[in-house]
Amino acid sequence: MPEIDYQKILRRIKPSESEYSEVNDLAVNLISIINSVAANNNIDARAVLVGSVAKDTWLAGKADIDIFIEFPLNTEESELKDKGLFLGYECIKRMQGQYELRYASHPYVTGLINGFEIDFVPCYSIKDSSKLKSAVDRTILHTEYVKKKLEEEQKDDVILLKKFMESIETYGSEFKVGGFAGYLCELLVLYYGSFTQVLEAASDYWHYGYIIDLENFNTGSGFSDPLVVVDPVDKNRNVAAALTIQKMSEFIIASRNFLENPKEEFFSKKIIKYNVNLIKNGFNKRGTKTILLVFKPPEVPADAIFPQLKKTETSLKKIIERAGFQVYGSGYWTDQTNIAIILLEMLVWELPIIKKHAGPYIWSKKHQKRFLDKYGSNAWIENDQWMVDIERDYCDVESLLRDFLTPKNIKHLKSGKHVKEEILNHVEIVDIDHFINSIDDEDLLLKFLYEYINKSGNIWR
Amino acid sequence: MPEIDYQKILRRIKPSESEYSEVNDLAVNLISIINSVAANNNIDARAVLVGSVAKDTWLAGKADIDIFIEFPLNTEESELKDKGLFLGYECIKRMQGQYELRYASHPYVTGLINGFEIDFVPCYSIKDSSKLKSAVDRTILHTEYVKKKLEEEQKDDVILLKKFMESIETYGSEFKVGGFAGYLCELLVLYYGSFTQVLEAASDYWHYGYIIDLENFNTGSGFSDPLVVVDPVDKNRNVAAALTIQKMSEFIIASRNFLENPKEEFFSKKIIKYNVNLIKNGFNKRGTKTILLVFKPPEVPADAIFPQLKKTETSLKKIIERAGFQVYGSGYWTDQTNIAIILLEMLVWELPIIKKHAGPYIWSKKHQKRFLDKYGSNAWIENDQWMVDIERDYCDVESLLRDFLTPKNIKHLKSGKHVKEEILNHVEIVDIDHFINSIDDEDLLLKFLYEYINKSGNIWR
């Protein structure tokens, strides 16, 4: 196997000494502020540093400082929320940061302090997962587990793995990505020992439903996900539950490609070159017809937008194919503020007016009655089934779409509430040829279109 | 139920007294000639009248005089053939008829005598079906069975049933029709009692795989045909084996239609009116593209041509649909002398150049190797499977057909030897619009085209 200079890569992707000091000093500072504010206000709470900063496994320039504020288990939920947010708020104020209230499974406060985005999350103090009150409570257990188990030199392996994953775009467990969470990367390194051993395992013997069970809980067979990594702090949770089969496959292939020919380029985003003309020609050459639905994205968090766009895409495909047309491919994209897009690439987008409509089997007089009352002697027999030639409702896919995305018919679209509202409010149905002229070479939408016609590019270097 | 004057119908469809005498006198005459020639030439053989004439169940003007020439079971096959054909030949000569040698499962001689087509068929004399040497030997047993069992007044029921079947085009067990044989009509009347009782049974409780077993052999469940009528002279034979599910269904529905509203018109061919323009417009209105393959029919018996045309139609449909196009409907027709046609009505006849080609699943390094060696980084991953966009071989169905019906590729066509030879020799691939201008309003081909766009018309009156 060709050699690769991991130290050289680490010098680039690991935080520098000064970044380490800066981040850690800030974190220590914030924690002591919260703890003193709590003491001064007679609040029974304690700040804890969690996440990649606590574990020394963050990527250079990507420190997410996550501070959890622990309350005793017997605290009322409303009290935990009020006092927790108050402490975060006070801390941000003292540091002269900007704050913003956010909601995940429960509310937290985010502050922008000295250029760092810092989350302050109120939670319950638990010793083991059987006492869990909400999903965030588990985070402290995760941090403790990794800090206890991860050897010093394995931190570099985690950083290499995270960077590799980020570069091939399989990093992140949010819906938009559907990839590997940071904690999952850490567990993989713990389980297999090193960066290359993780890649070798994935490359050689991972299969659909593969189970990793660090603490031998033997609960893995209860999950039906592509990859099962039993959470060492909670035997009833699959850490890889959000990983899609698509991203798991891409990681496996990228691992094989890297091991076969290790290149430093696997630790940087792939450089792709495109412009409007290149993409326009790319679509034209395919001979298909690509239609875009363009509308405003709803003002809801990313974790709500992306699943709704995915649902919309899937539902539209079904509606189109049920009408007899054929979809070659599809996709969705949004910048989360100005524009959302569903892409539908059609293989068959026009059909003759005639349509064969299957009726009941001929055997029962009773079943045939309604059919014959409706169609009379236009009906005919094929083998032992009644058939009739009827007129198709839509002879081209655009008129189908235009008619379906109206108040009368949109109930048939399964798209999620917010996206449905936006579509109903205003949607453009445009041919890609027409649409692409209106965007410029810098638009991130172009990258989406480029990657649509150049799929899985990230697995190669 | 409205009344219908069966006597009036029977006066039209039953042979007249003079036809009865003429046919029977001729049959008696022919038999005595054969028997005397046999005696004079020292041939141990005996002529027997079989078929509908022997059973008094023929339709006016449709007498098929079938004379079987029985030889003892120990006769050599070559001797049976030589002497049998000799006796038929001599008989035709004495009657100053024209003769013609034919082959079914074994050879026989046909004579045109006094305007009647008469078959002389050599066979073995057997007492029961266990001694069968060839399929024709059974015919004598069939004739004897029906003559013994059928009541005098039931002969009218058989004639009504045959005429009904003929009028709705479900009569005849040859491949071209796939309907009910005369013997099957007789057995149905024997089993159910009368014409209307047969129709009532079919209408009310026939189902796929329905079993009729007149002699309670209990062998019916051994067959997997749409209708099973265990042969009363051979428990291992299904008399309805040649009946297609299509014709069985059409008979059932026509029975329901007749019983609901009995009309004399059910005992005459349906009158249909069509001309070139009507059919041309009929096809145009459908919006599909109808392509005809036109070639010379091979000079082989009908029982060979029709199955080969059917095979050709089925094989072409498969080839076309495998290439991604969609066939709306298809058919075949021949006048058995000058022209044979395969009709292909296309729902989707053009496709974009791009084609998605599925490769191996990603799990095994070994399986992906050949795929990646071929397609390199053009390959992409969909879920856990390798995919690649390739160029389609044929973007329209006509270029596919033109390329497939050439010496190089015709091996992929499953069409039967004789039809394949004719297609290879010369085939025209034409659009119906273009072709239809070349035929005139009297052409029987028009009826085929009319019935293609007006299916199952025969079940209604």
Side-chain angles (χ1 to χ4, degrees), chain A residues 246 256 326 328 368 383 389, chain B residues 246 326 328 368 383 389:
Chain A
Q246 180 72 34
R256 287 184 195 156
Q326 282 179 53
Y328 188 75
Q368 75 173 22
N383 296 322
D389 293 317
Chain B
Q246 180 71 35
Q326 282 179 52
Y328 187 76
Q368 76 174 22
N383 296 322
D389 293 317

Side-chain angles (χ1 to χ4, degrees), chain B residues 207-260:
Chain B
H207 54 77
Y208 195 103
Y210 188 77
I211 296 172
I212 292 171
D213 185 0
L214 290 94
E215 296 293 327
N216 300 313
F217 287 135
N218 283 315
T219 49
S221 58
F223 302 96
S224 58
D225 301 306
L227 179 67
V228 176
V229 180
V230 181
D231 193 340
V233 307
D234 184 351
K235 64 175 193 278
N236 294 315
R237 184 174 172 264
N238 174 17
V239 181
L243 177 66
T244 62
I245 182 64
Q246 180 71 35
K247 290 295 167 177
M248 180 180 176
S249 300
E250 288 176 11
F251 174 65
I252 290 170
I253 301 305
S255 296
R256 287 184 194 156
N257 291 345
F258 174 79
L259 291 173
E260 223 170 79

Side-chain angles (χ1 to χ4, degrees), chain A residues 413-461:
Chain A
L413 182 72
K414 288 179 178 51
S415 68
K417 184 169 161 267
H418 306 101
V419 161
K420 190 176 276 193
E421 278 169 11
E422 292 294 344
I423 287 179
L424 212 46
N425 187 38
H426 183 68
V427 62
E428 280 177 59
I429 300 166
V430 285
D431 212 274
I432 195 158
D433 245 18
H434 179 75
F435 178 79
I436 209 165
N437 291 323
S438 70
I439 56 182
D440 64 54
D441 287 348
E442 313 307 312
D443 201 318
L444 266 177
L445 170 52
L446 269 197
K447 179 169 182 275
F448 161 70
L449 295 175
Y450 173 85
E451 288 181 340
Y452 178 82
I453 53 176
N454 297 280
K455 290 192 169 66
S456 301
N458 279 311
I459 58 178
W460 318 98
R461 286 295 186 282

Side-chain angles (χ1 to χ4, degrees), chain A residues 118-347:
Chain A
I118 295 147
D119 289 342
F120 298 87
V121 184
C123 68
Y124 286 101
S125 168
I126 56 171
K127 282 288 151 283
D128 68 83
S129 64
S130 65
K131 300 292 188 309
L132 271 184
K133 286 208 167 187
S134 92
V136 299
D137 302 343
R138 211 187 274 107
T139 306
I140 295 173
L141 302 179
H142 289 167
T143 304
E144 284 170 359
Y145 185 85
V146 174
K147 280 170 79 170
K148 197 171 74 192
K149 299 276 183 173
L150 199 69
E151 310 280 345
E152 192 57 33
E153 62 276 18
Q154 285 181 318
K155 291 178 182 174
D156 286 354
D157 290 288
V158 170
I159 288 173
L160 285 169
L161 183 58
K162 283 184 177 181
K163 189 69 190 178
F164 180 81
M165 293 247 187
E166 189 194 70
S167 304
I168 63 166
E169 299 194 354
T170 63
Y171 184 60
S173 60
E174 63 270 30
F175 186 91
K176 185 186 168 182
V177 179
F180 295 76
Y183 177 51
L184 180 51
C185 290
E186 289 151 0
L187 293 182
L188 291 174
V189 168
L190 277 179
Y191 187 73
Y192 288 114
S194 71
F195 167 71
T196 43
Q197 283 169 310
V198 173
L199 268 57
E200 277 159 11
S203 169
D204 287 349
Y205 51 82
W206 279 12
H207 55 76
Y208 194 103
Y210 188 76
I211 296 172
I212 292 172
D213 184 0
L214 291 93
E215 296 293 329
N216 299 313
F217 288 136
N218 283 316
T219 50
S221 59
F223 302 96
S224 58
D225 302 306
L227 178 66
V228 177
V229 180
V230 181
D231 192 340
V233 308
D234 184 351
K235 64 175 192 276
N236 296 315
R237 183 173 173 265
N238 174 17
V239 180
L243 177 65
T244 62
I245 181 66
Q246 180 72 34
K247 290 295 166 176
M248 179 179 179
S249 301
E250 287 175 12
F251 174 65
I252 290 170
I253 301 305
S255 296
R256 287 184 195 156
N257 291 345
F258 174 79
L259 293 172
E260 221 169 80
N261 187 9
K263 294 182 186 167
E264 216 189 306
E265 285 83 354
F266 275 100
F267 297 91
S268 312
K269 287 244 177 238
K270 184 163 182 173
I271 297 158
I272 48 178
K273 283 180 186 148
Y274 50 82
N275 57 47
V276 164
N277 262 334
L278 188 92
I279 289 167
K280 200 169 164 174
N281 292 337
F283 274 98
N284 274 338
K285 262 180 13 202
R286 296 159 78 91
T288 51
K289 180 186 182 73
T290 299
I291 296 170
L292 302 177
L293 269 60
V294 186
F295 50 95
K296 213 181 152 312
E299 285 173 9
V300 292
D303 271 7
I305 299 187
F306 287 100
Q308 287 192 24
L309 291 177
K310 175 83 196 151
K311 263 180 87 176
T312 309
E313 177 200 343
T314 306
S315 175
L316 283 168
K317 260 167 59 181
K318 275 192 196 150
I319 288 167
I320 289 170
E321 302 218 309
R322 249 197 319 256
F325 305 104
Q326 282 179 53
V327 176
Y328 188 75
S330 59
Y332 61 91
W333 183 83
T334 182
D335 64 3
Q336 300 182 53
T337 46
N338 295 313
I339 185 169
I341 277 177
I342 308 284
L343 179 153
L344 297 162
E345 184 181 19
M346 301 301 306
L347 194 71

Side-chain angles (χ1 to χ4, degrees), chain B residues 5 11 23 44 71 88 107 123-124 132 135-136 151 212 223 227 244 259 298 309 314 317 337 347 360 377 420 445 458:
Chain B
D5 186 351
R11 279 195 295 277
V23 168
D44 187 4
F71 287 80
C123 69
Y124 285 101
L132 273 184
V136 298
E151 309 279 344
I212 292 171
F223 302 96
L227 179 67
T244 62
L259 291 173
L309 291 177
T314 305
K317 261 166 61 182
T337 45
L347 194 70
S377 63
K420 191 175 274 194
L445 169 53
N458 280 310

